[in-house]
Amino acid sequence: MAHDRDRVDPERLRVILAIETTCDDTCAAVVTDQGEIRSNVISSQGVHDRYGGVVPEIASRHHLELIGDVVDDALARADVALPAVDLVAVTIGPGLVAALLVGAATAKGLAAAYELPLAGVDHLHGHVAAAFLGPDPFEPPFLSLIASGGHTLLARVTDHGPGYEVLGQTLDDAAGEAFDKGARLLGLGYPGGPALERLAADGDPDAFSFPTGQRMGGLDFSFAGLKTALLYRVRDLGEAEASRRRADLAASYQRAIVESLAIRTERALRDTGLERLSIGGGVAANGAVRSRMSALGAELHVPPRELCTDNAAMIASAARFVEGVPYPGYLGLDVYATGERILVAT
Ligand code: KG4
Ligand code: ZN
């Protein structure tokens, strides 16, 4: 069956349409196989604030309402028609299953309509692969710190993936979760990271001392104790004083998260001998994290903020290094909630 795509210039760049619905952002992007971003559409749902966190079924229902328009918008902004797409890519995990299923079903439907190949991408591979996007791609080898709402890990990146060697990861909460939970304790909305960062800008990071787990050896992270320390500190201060000193509490708490990330990252650079560092995930959008990482002495790559938080351009970037499944082999493709299927733990 001949499609329009069979008649286009074979010399033109391959075009990837990617879809990302891991959590509460509905995203679609068009990226060339050279890593040029033609469009990157992100629709943040903004409806989870009142619940203090993401409610999976509500996220899923909103993805369903938004995904059609988000994909159309991504194609229109890139000035690409669906039949001219060469590969459809979609995040298949880890994440909220009900949310992932919307993206996967949409991607399968779009790909199948024109018998296009489809690539299932791991969300964490996507965060790492944000570094490979143009116009100035950061090439392996490097150390990658991914700090998001669901994950915090250090990986040795020696090629474009999809497999990476995990050097350390969180034993409990993720760094983004620590921001979100701390923000909630300080009466801020969800997502807490950006709100806490704004409040911290007016505070003194030395005002209070919070644990960074410095004495815990190795490269694993732990943030659960930090959140509890903030809870006790707020209680000890009493409501009025805690409220008066909210900015100091936010700044000191943020400092502890940043230090906790920096201590392990510095150790990993030393242990591996790697001299180049890339950071990604939503927490890498934080200004204090960015400036602290730039002081570690490694050559630092920080993607623009919209490529740190969840987006589909990073999924397209990763898809360039994942084998696409030809039609109709992907119709039974499943999603997964947890587990590093792609990342190789050591
Ligand atoms: O990567 P991401 O968008 O989604 C996940 O894969 O989880 O990360 C979201 C997390 C949330 O916990 C959010 O509070 C945090 O990243 N975050 C930030 C900032 N922007 C987003 N944390 C600290 N400072 C920020 N500016
Ligand atoms: Zn993410």
Side-chain angles (χ1 to χ4, degrees):
M1 189 171 159
H3 291 303
D4 287 354
R5 70 192 151 89
D6 298 326
R7 290 193 288 272
V8 295
D9 176 3
E11 292 297 305
R12 77 183 171 81
L13 298 176
R14 274 197 343 141
V15 172
I16 303 166
L17 167 68
I19 292 174
E20 150 67 44
T21 61
T22 296
C23 191
D24 60 341
D25 295 314
T26 315
C27 316
V30 174
V31 173
T32 69
D33 65 356
Q34 300 296 303
E36 181 203 342
I37 302 173
R38 293 274 176 87
S39 65
N40 188 22
V41 179
I42 302 165
S43 177
S44 298
Q45 298 182 354
V47 291
H48 303 277
D49 191 353
R50 75 194 77 155
Y51 308 107
V54 176
V55 183
E57 294 308 326
I58 294 177
S60 171
R61 229 174 299 147
H62 278 268
H63 283 310
L64 209 48
E65 280 169 19
L66 296 167
I67 192 72
D69 286 345
V70 167
V71 168
D72 286 349
D73 200 15
L75 290 169
R77 283 173 195 234
D79 199 19
V80 171
L82 183 59
V85 166
D86 299 282
L87 174 70
V88 177
V90 65
T91 314
I92 52 171
L96 303 173
V97 164
L100 290 164
L101 281 172
V102 176
T106 305
K108 284 182 202 174
L110 292 171
Y114 291 95
E115 299 184 7
L116 304 171
L118 185 136
V121 175
D122 184 273
H123 185 75
L124 295 166
H125 183 200
H127 275 302
V128 172
F132 307 145
L133 286 164
D136 195 13
F138 197 63
E139 291 295 331
F142 57 81
L143 177 72
S144 178
L145 169 69
I146 301 300
S148 73
H151 299 87
T152 302
L153 59 90
L154 282 162
R156 187 204 304 262
V157 178
T158 51
D159 56 36
H160 293 108
Y164 304 108
E165 182 189 348
V166 177
L167 303 170
Q169 54 193 321
T170 186
L171 302 175
D172 39 56
D173 292 348
E177 220 175 335
F179 269 105
D180 294 336
K181 289 178 176 173
R184 199 178 330 162
L185 284 170
L186 295 174
L188 302 167
Y190 178 87
L196 196 140
E197 181 179 12
R198 279 192 297 276
L199 180 59
D202 298 325
D204 174 7
D206 295 320
F208 299 99
S209 161
F210 287 114
T212 58
Q214 175 138 32
R215 270 169 301 173
M216 183 180 138
L219 299 176
D220 285 334
F221 303 85
S222 170
F223 293 102
L226 175 60
K227 168 195 67 192
T228 312
L230 177 62
L231 175 71
Y232 288 149
R233 183 61 66 137
V234 167
R235 271 192 198 157
D236 292 347
L237 287 172
E239 208 175 310
E241 185 65 1
S243 165
R244 199 180 66 75
R245 305 202 60 190
R246 265 167 93 232
D248 286 344
L249 285 164
S252 304
Y253 184 77
Q254 175 174 270
R255 155 79 60 90
I257 298 176
V258 172
E259 283 311 310
S260 179
L261 293 172
I263 289 164
R264 274 77 178 182
T265 305
E266 193 164 30
R267 267 186 210 152
L269 286 167
R270 198 186 52 222
D271 291 359
T272 59
L274 290 166
E275 292 173 344
R276 301 165 72 244
L277 169 67
S278 172
I279 61 174
V283 174
N286 182 283
V289 170
R290 290 169 170 244
S291 61
R292 182 68 178 87
M293 291 299 159
S294 70
L296 292 182
E299 182 192 341
L300 179 67
H301 176 268
V302 191
R305 282 184 166 75
E306 70 276 13
L307 295 178
C308 288
T309 49
D310 286 350
N311 67 89
M314 70 183 195
I315 300 304
S317 178
R320 295 179 292 156
F321 309 104
V322 173
E323 209 164 324
V325 179
Y327 173 83
Y330 47 78
L331 292 177
L333 186 73
D334 213 352
V335 301
Y336 51 93
T338 54
E340 275 83 47
R341 298 245 179 133
I342 304 284
L343 299 161
V344 188
T346 53

